[in-house]
Amino acid sequence: MSPQNTLAISTDVVLFSIRNDRLEVLLAALDNGGWRLPGGGMAADEDLESSALQHLEQQTGVTGVYLEQLYTFGRPGRHPTQRLVSVAYYALAPDEQLRLRERQADGLDWFAITRLPPLALDHADIIAMAHKRLAAKLAYTTIALQFMPERFTLSALQSVYETILGAALDKRNFRKRVLAMGCLEATSELDRHGNHRPARLYRARTPGKVEFIK
Amino acid sequence: MSPQNTLAISTDVVLFSIRNDRLEVLLAALDNGGWRLPGGGMAADEDLESSALQHLEQQTGVTGVYLEQLYTFGRPGRHPTQRLVSVAYYALAPDEQLRLRERQADGLDWFAITRLPPLALDHADIIAMAHKRLAAKLAYTTIALQFMPERFTLSALQSVYETILGAALDKRNFRKRVLAMGCLEATSELDRHGNHRPARLYRARTPGKVEFIK
DNA sequence: AATATTAGTGTCGTTACAACACTATGTCAA
DNA sequence: TTGACATAGTGTTGTAACGACACTAATATT
């Protein structure tokens, strides 16, 4: 078989998080100064989703993320030396969880979605599609909760929405809407920090699950 | 390499159409009495989408459909003798177009989505996912237009919605809604048949394109 | 005790959506 | 030719959802 006829399947992961009030993506450095998505070849006896999670963990130390299949990219010629079909996933996780688990920090970095570095292959397209999907899902699912830690304030949640949508939201209307979805639960705890009134902490009723609304 | 380690990629297509006031799917017969989706192995120099279209044409004679990638199925063990990753697509086409082009009619048949025969591999799961996606997209895109011929009456379009949703719709509200989307255009022609008032024919403003609404 | 800072709450006008019934225009048969 | 039949086509009104909008509450700091 010539290299071009060598068929390989890889899985790639677009890991999003909210950092510094921006939507950011985790990338791995290449030798040539460029960057790529975490991911790699799929082993023969491995599930696609496991492959994505395993590469993510091995390359970044990140585990326990919310993962969803995005799209499969297979245009011939997208890889210079072999026929490579990539099953792309996107992953969401709260910033807090990631600070703990990024072990191999060198060779890794976060980039704001608006300021991406040069990327390998068609990884820029993959990120663009993932971003579009995320923004769309925000409108009709509870996916934003995947960015939140176990307990969080409504103000923090609002800030996540505002960051992804790139627009300010009305506080009263936001609270009405998000509570009306019925997937939040007030705890008895308060978040005390700073010189101001403490905020009630909420938690997701079904933390792992993304639900459709209305 | 052992057979289980032989990696292969296939593309499979769930072709939907509205026939007999039901949502139906086109399937190909297997030797053992079961049925399968049209599709097959991807050639090394071929795009995924082309592969899907080409298998569809070769096995069913159908061309010119609306095609969209659905999901990639890759669980190890989903195929008994090899590691098979299937990139699944779904396709939509108006019934009129298909009656003309189904050449190899033997070995092929249409099945109502509610009465599927025994299916190969996980093809039943694939069809279920395609059906769910179609029903969801009906709500927020103009995808239903892909079931319509070039010119059609509003009553015919309403009947397509009613068939997929499985519920009757109010005529006046439906017409208001669908015209407000702004992607229909009245022609000067009328559809005359039967002993009743003829209906105005409409056409899609951008026939090949599925747009998001609101 | 005063100040600074974020948390938390309700009303009202507007708009979008659902429910609803009759007239219009053609064919066909007597 | 006329009457019966069948589907096409059309507006209004009540209701529910949504957006705009400003003040009080609770804590930390000085």
Side-chain angles (χ1 to χ4, degrees):
Chain A
M1 279 210 215
S2 84
Q4 273 293 355
N5 286 332
T6 307
L7 178 60
I9 297 185
S10 76
T11 53
D12 294 295
V13 179
V14 182
L15 175 61
F16 287 112
S17 194
I18 309 276
R19 302 165 56 93
N20 315 313
D21 285 321
R22 294 185 309 199
L23 182 62
E24 299 195 352
V25 174
L26 184 60
L27 297 174
L30 293 166
D31 298 334
N32 64 10
W35 296 79
R36 63 169 179 86
L37 293 171
M42 181 197 66
D45 59 345
E46 197 179 26
D47 190 31
L48 287 165
E49 192 164 307
S50 318
S51 167
L53 289 173
Q54 197 211 326
H55 282 116
L56 185 65
E57 175 165 14
Q58 285 185 353
Q59 293 168 24
T60 71
V62 170
T63 60
V65 300
Y66 170 80
L67 189 79
E68 195 173 312
Q69 196 184 104
L70 174 65
Y71 196 77
T72 297
F73 295 79
R75 183 175 52 78
R78 63 183 287 276
H79 189 282
T81 62
Q82 61 176 344
R83 179 64 202 277
L84 181 66
V85 171
S86 281
V87 184
Y89 286 79
Y90 67 101
L92 274 46
D95 186 33
E96 293 81 352
Q97 182 178 335
L98 297 171
R99 289 194 190 289
L100 297 175
R101 289 173 167 158
E102 265 173 64
R103 291 187 305 237
Q104 298 97 320
D106 49 295
L108 291 178
D109 211 346
W110 289 94
F111 293 88
I113 197 81
T114 52
R115 301 276 164 110
L116 294 172
L119 284 152
L121 308 183
D122 49 8
H123 287 194
D125 298 335
I126 299 179
I127 294 175
M129 189 184 282
H131 184 199
K132 206 173 128 196
R133 182 94 127 244
L134 173 63
K137 283 222 164 184
L138 209 61
Y140 62 95
T141 70
T142 61
I143 200 167
L145 294 176
Q146 300 305 319
F147 285 115
M148 309 310 292
E150 208 246 325
R151 288 163 192 233
F152 53 88
T153 67
L154 293 185
S155 295
L157 182 60
Q158 178 173 351
S159 154
V160 166
Y161 273 85
E162 290 176 331
T163 299
I164 303 178
L165 295 175
L169 299 175
D170 178 81
K171 195 202 274 194
R172 282 174 285 195
N173 293 334
F174 178 79
R175 291 162 107 91
K176 253 183 292 176
R177 233 184 62 207
V178 81
L179 291 173
M181 297 187 326
C183 41
L184 294 189
E185 203 168 63
T187 70
S188 55
E189 287 154 74
L190 298 177
D191 173 40
R192 315 176 160 272
H193 80 276
N195 50 339
H196 53 78
R197 175 172 176 177
R200 165 134 285 135
L201 287 167
Y202 288 77
R203 74 163 147 251
R205 249 183 242 283
T206 54
K209 210 168 158 190
V210 169
E211 319 217 17
F212 289 74
I213 44 186
K214 246 171 317 161
Chain B
M1 280 206 212
S2 85
Q4 273 294 355
N5 284 333
T6 307
L7 177 60
I9 297 186
S10 76
T11 53
D12 294 295
V13 178
V14 183
L15 174 61
F16 287 112
S17 192
I18 307 277
R19 302 166 56 96
N20 316 312
D21 286 320
R22 296 182 308 199
L23 183 62
E24 299 195 353
V25 175
L26 184 59
L27 298 174
L30 294 167
D31 298 334
N32 64 8
W35 295 79
R36 64 171 178 86
L37 292 170
M42 182 197 65
D45 58 346
E46 199 180 25
D47 189 31
L48 287 165
E49 191 164 309
S50 318
S51 167
L53 289 173
Q54 197 212 325
H55 281 115
L56 185 65
E57 175 166 13
Q58 284 183 354
Q59 292 168 24
T60 71
V62 171
T63 61
V65 299
Y66 171 80
L67 189 80
E68 197 173 309
Q69 196 185 103
L70 174 64
Y71 197 77
T72 298
F73 295 79
R75 182 175 52 80
R78 62 183 288 275
H79 188 280
T81 62
Q82 61 177 344
R83 180 65 203 278
L84 181 66
V85 171
S86 282
V87 183
Y89 286 79
Y90 67 101
L92 273 47
D95 186 32
E96 292 80 353
Q97 181 178 336
L98 298 170
R99 289 194 190 290
L100 297 175
R101 289 171 167 160
E102 265 171 66
R103 291 189 306 239
Q104 298 95 321
D106 49 294
L108 292 178
D109 212 347
W110 289 94
F111 292 87
I113 197 82
T114 53
R115 302 275 164 109
L116 294 173
L119 285 152
L121 308 183
D122 50 7
H123 287 193
D125 298 335
I126 298 178
I127 294 174
M129 187 183 284
H131 184 198
K132 207 173 126 196
R133 182 94 128 246
L134 174 63
K137 282 223 163 183
L138 209 61
Y140 63 95
T141 71
T142 60
I143 200 167
L145 294 176
Q146 300 304 319
F147 285 117
M148 308 310 291
E150 207 247 323
R151 292 171 185 223
F152 52 89
T153 67
L154 293 185
S155 295
L157 182 59
Q158 178 171 350
S159 155
V160 165
Y161 273 85
E162 289 177 332
T163 298
I164 303 178
L165 296 174
L169 300 175
D170 178 81
K171 195 202 274 194
R172 281 173 287 193
N173 293 335
F174 178 79
R175 291 163 107 91
K176 251 183 293 177
R177 233 185 61 209
V178 81
L179 290 174
M181 297 186 325
C183 43
L184 294 188
E185 203 167 63
T187 70
S188 55
E189 286 154 74
L190 299 178
D191 173 40
R192 315 176 160 273
H193 80 276
N195 51 339
H196 53 78
R197 175 172 176 177
R200 165 133 284 136
L201 287 166
Y202 288 77
R203 73 164 148 252
R205 248 183 242 282
T206 54
K209 210 166 159 190
V210 169
E211 320 216 17
F212 288 74
I213 44 187
K214 249 170 313 167

